[in-house]
Amino acid sequence: MNSATAGRPSPRFSQSVALVAEREITTRLRSKSFLITTGILLLLVLGGVIAGGIFSKSISTTTVATVGSLSSELSNVPGVEVTTVEDRTEAEALVSEGTVDAAVLPSEEGAVSPVLIIANSEAPSLLVQWLSVSPEVILLDPENQSSPLSYIAALGFGIIFFISGMTFGPMIAQSVVEEKQTRIVEILMSAVPVSALMAGKVIGNSLLAFAQIIAIAALAVVGLSVTGQAEVLSLLGAPLLWFVGFFIIGFVLLAALFAGVGAMVSRQEDLGSAMTPVTMLIMLPYFAIIFFNDNATVLTVMSYIPFSAPVGMPMRLFLGTAEWWEPLISLVLLLVTTGLAVLLGARIYNNSLLKVGSRVSWSEAIKG
């Protein structure tokens, strides 16, 4: 140690973590592949919001003239705009002029139907369908009824979780392997503790992932507001906030495991097989939410398994099948599991970081 560094105090643990995290963030922001992936993900979200807005506006509105006694009932019909008139003569005049598409009036006494539709050449099919007498329907399992909107929500939660996890997770492992392969890790360890090195990697990449998720959520909210999809926004608002919270904690869990797995190998060629157990924790929830988004039993199980809770619980909240206390219990389970995963990842990282050559086995990495 020379005279210039002899009196220099060693950086505190928090300072070491901050330095490593800053290095990770600046390195990622300079990566073209990372910026392109982020841009594509944001474009996909924006495109989905715009497509939903176009689809909702493509549903035509039917203008109807009616008398006061039927106004309140028809106002509840989706896609119907009601104009209240005094009598049948005024309603027929509006239909003849083309001011409204049809008129709905009370039928004469003794008629089969309680209402009468008056139109110029053809009665609007939506109106006829709504006012037709339908048989009573009893659903034995109403929770299993799916809708296009629920599938789109499941697809959105699944894709964001999958792409973010598969972007940042392997990136952390590749960074660790690269530092081992080039022996840079030995230089870094001489300046900062091993635990600070891992913590900085996890925190730096986690902050980037958090920023990406928050940007996606903000873009979705703004897009839904601008395109006039207030109803979808009201349904998606709370589940989206829960998704951000669950994702933040769940990503720390995955990041710690990826850092530990990266330390187990010394060559990039060996990294793929070593990461397989962890990547399965990302892929399985993605496929499960896509294929079982309308299965209440599978979604309930997914919402309590820590690795799938970030997509399972928000989806149940979106569908309205979760009680108010269920996300709190699921979040506590995720927090506990994340703490254990961080301890496991740190142990594997510390025991494997300086071992070069062949891949370190799981038992050796854990036992040390």
Side-chain angles (χ1 to χ4, degrees), residues 46 52 80 83 175 305:
L46 183 60
V80 172
T83 300
S175 173
I305 297 176

Side-chain angles (χ1 to χ4, degrees), residues 308-331:
S308 59
V311 292
M313 185 56 75
M315 188 61 199
R316 289 186 63 207
L317 291 169
F318 176 78
L319 296 174
T321 58
E323 299 292 338
W324 66 267
W325 48 266
E326 291 190 79
L328 298 177
I329 294 178
S330 179
L331 195 62

Side-chain angles (χ1 to χ4, degrees), residues 285-307:
Y286 168 71
F287 288 112
I289 198 69
I290 297 300
F291 293 113
F292 299 103
N293 64 87
D294 58 349
N295 190 308
T297 302
V298 174
L299 286 178
T300 301
V301 174
M302 286 181 62
S303 65
Y304 285 103
I305 297 176
F307 302 106

Side-chain angles (χ1 to χ4, degrees), residues 138-330:
I138 299 176
L139 300 177
L140 297 179
D141 193 7
E143 292 186 354
N144 282 339
Q145 297 299 310
S146 60
S147 66
L149 187 59
S150 65
Y151 181 78
I152 292 173
L155 188 65
F157 288 139
I159 287 178
I160 294 172
F161 177 79
F162 178 79
I163 293 181
S164 297
M166 294 302 293
T167 297
F168 290 99
M171 201 178 288
I172 295 172
Q174 290 169 4
S175 173
V176 175
V177 177
E178 182 181 348
E179 290 172 356
K180 284 188 65 175
Q181 200 168 13
T182 57
R183 296 299 182 93
I184 294 177
V185 68
E186 298 175 8
I187 301 174
L188 294 173
M189 289 175 62
S190 65
V192 297
V194 177
S195 54
L197 188 58
M198 176 185 165
K201 285 186 175 296
V202 172
I203 291 174
N205 286 277
S206 296
L207 288 174
L208 285 173
F210 304 162
Q212 189 181 77
I213 290 299
I214 292 173
I216 290 171
L219 183 63
V221 171
V222 172
L224 290 171
S225 301
V226 171
T227 55
Q229 301 180 71
E231 183 179 352
V232 177
L233 181 59
S234 64
L235 292 173
L236 197 59
L240 190 59
L241 292 176
W242 277 104
F243 174 73
V244 172
F246 271 91
F247 179 88
I248 288 174
I249 301 171
F251 183 82
V252 173
L253 183 156
L254 295 172
L257 295 179
F258 272 109
V261 167
M264 293 170 61
V265 299
S266 302
R267 301 186 307 163
Q268 295 285 352
E269 295 82 359
D270 301 329
L271 185 57
S273 59
M275 289 193 306
T276 299
V278 186
T279 54
M280 292 299 291
L281 299 179
I282 300 174
M283 296 180 67
L284 290 177
Y286 168 71
F287 288 112
I289 198 69
I290 297 300
F291 293 113
F292 299 103
N293 64 87
D294 58 349
N295 190 308
T297 302
V298 174
L299 286 178
T300 301
V301 174
M302 286 181 62
S303 65
Y304 285 103
I305 297 176
F307 302 106
S308 59
V311 292
M313 185 56 75
M315 188 61 199
R316 289 186 63 207
L317 291 169
F318 176 78
L319 296 174
T321 58
E323 299 292 338
W324 66 267
W325 48 266
E326 291 190 79
L328 298 177
I329 294 178
S330 179

Side-chain angles (χ1 to χ4, degrees), residues 11-21 193 196 200 203:
R12 295 193 301 270
F13 181 82
S14 58
Q15 292 176 325
S16 300
V17 172
L19 288 172
V20 177
I203 291 174

